Amino acid sequence: MQRVCLALPTMRPCPETIAELAEEAAYAVANFGVEVHLLILDTTEAAEFALNAGAVAALEPTPGVIVHHLGEARQREFLRRVTERSGAPDPGLLLDLMLPGAVAYGSCVNRLFLGAAALGCTSTHLRNDDADFQVLDGRKVFPIHHELLSIGKPAGEAAAGVTRSELDPADADKPVMLVSGSFIGELCVDISEIHELDPAIYREVVRLWAPPVWSDEEKDAMVDVSFKGAGSEPFGTDESVLGVPDIWDVYMCNVALDHRGYEVLPLLPSIETIGSDYVLHHAMVHARMPGVVHNRHIVNYYTPERRTGAGFIAYQLRFVKFLLSMLYLYPVYGGMIDLGRGMLDERHGLRIEPILDLVRGSVDWDRAGNEHCLDVLDRSYRKLGGKYAELADVVAGQRQSLLDEAREDAERWAVLVEAWSALVAASRAEGLGAPEVAAG
């Protein structure tokens, strides 16, 4: 029986999300005959963890659905065993890269990948705790429907399960390693208030995300589509397309990935940086791997803590660090585009060696571009005034450390990429331990 991992990282109480994902898992079992491991990696504090644990305990046992709810202590113990078993010269450093003492989106997803390997799953289906499923005629619209129709299958076979195929016949034997929908609702990055205050400043800030070699016209076109997902049109009927996806159609919180991708390349372990979890998508798309894009979009919403006080400053700093990370990511992405199918081996799997060379080569990139980025942000935030002027003061006070951390993140990623295959093998050997809710 095919075993899959439905994965939820969380750092906040989300009992409703847990209940919804249990429903999605039951749907997958009933309609596709798979065994679903619902893996919840939870880094909340004790009282909040108890709310999530209560939601897990309240789930009715469902045959074929196994629920694992791991708090930070259990995650750390699992990772300690894995890093030591991997034979790495510095297991303590790897443990810190996998479970740092701060928010790290890429690290959290990397932990999910190792958890999926430990559970023997062939694919990981990623969700988030600040999104809802759409509803049509009283029924929730589960993305796992399209994911399980295609993920891991030879693309030629997957063609029977989509509404339209744009597959190159030469790619028919290649596996479908990525299936994704997008989102509707609020922007996936919480910067819409900047647009409300001053559209011109919004455009200038978002343009900082674009590759510096692009023309002004290309940067403006990027601004027009950035962070907007699939817009606002609600789900009506299923649509899915098989082919090489456009990177703009792939959303990290509504995606299924085949183990032959994530067991090769880990995500950036960047601390306090949004958008650090898309590099694997880029590798697959730029290698021209077949994938499926569908319209079972989730509904994105904002959690209140990111709009005021310390929560506002913390979230916006993560956006600043996201912009700074591009200095080191664009050379990697550009190299991936140049390599194209050269990133694949004879079995159509990702080759890590050329990717690792790109990652190492990005570390010493001239950071003048990031100096310019911070100058533009400082000017823009001060024009906006109010809490954005306060944000400008914070960014200015941390300027040197922000520049240094962006480079250090690239260095730490190279370390993790090099150690990743050993960590995956050690995870498989260790296993994850007993679940909280076993199959009924």
Side-chain angles (χ1 to χ4, degrees), residues 344-349 351:
L344 304 178
D345 61 24
E346 65 280 358
R347 294 176 297 176
H348 313 307
R351 297 169 54 228

Side-chain angles (χ1 to χ4, degrees), residues 13 20 34 58 67 73 81 90 115 241 271-272 286 288 325 378 410 422:
E20 282 202 327
V34 295
V67 184
R81 298 195 312 268
D90 192 347
V241 182
I271 294 173
E272 301 289 357
H286 298 327
R288 312 297 294 169
S325 72
D378 185 83

Side-chain angles (χ1 to χ4, degrees), residues 33-92:
V34 295
E35 179 178 282
V36 180
H37 288 258
L38 174 52
L39 176 58
I40 305 163
L41 296 189
D42 189 340
T43 54
T44 55
E45 298 295 332
E48 296 171 325
F49 182 86
L51 289 173
N52 290 340
V56 170
L59 298 175
E60 291 195 15
T62 301
V65 176
I66 303 94
V67 184
H68 311 261
H69 180 212
L70 278 67
E72 189 164 346
R74 280 190 62 190
Q75 293 178 54
R76 186 172 299 280
E77 177 57 25
F78 166 69
L79 293 167
R80 183 193 61 76
R81 298 195 312 268
V82 166
T83 53
E84 291 178 356
R85 186 170 191 144
S86 73
D90 192 347

Side-chain angles (χ1 to χ4, degrees), residues 170 173-175 177 260 289 343-350:
D173 292 334
K174 294 179 180 177
M177 293 174 62
R260 287 166 287 187
M289 290 295 292
M343 282 189 282
L344 304 178
D345 61 24
E346 65 280 358
R347 294 176 297 176
H348 313 307
L350 285 175

Side-chain angles (χ1 to χ4, degrees), residues 157-207:
E157 293 182 17
V162 298
T163 57
R164 187 170 86 251
S165 176
E166 299 175 353
L167 181 70
D168 185 332
D171 292 337
D173 292 334
K174 294 179 180 177
V176 174
M177 293 174 62
L178 180 154
V179 180
S180 185
S182 187
F183 67 93
I184 62 173
E186 300 181 277
L187 301 185
C188 64
V189 175
D190 193 351
I191 55 172
S192 56
E193 185 181 55
I194 297 177
H195 189 273
E196 294 167 5
L197 292 170
D198 192 320
I201 289 179
Y202 174 87
R203 180 166 294 275
E204 186 171 19
V205 168
V206 177
R207 278 170 58 121

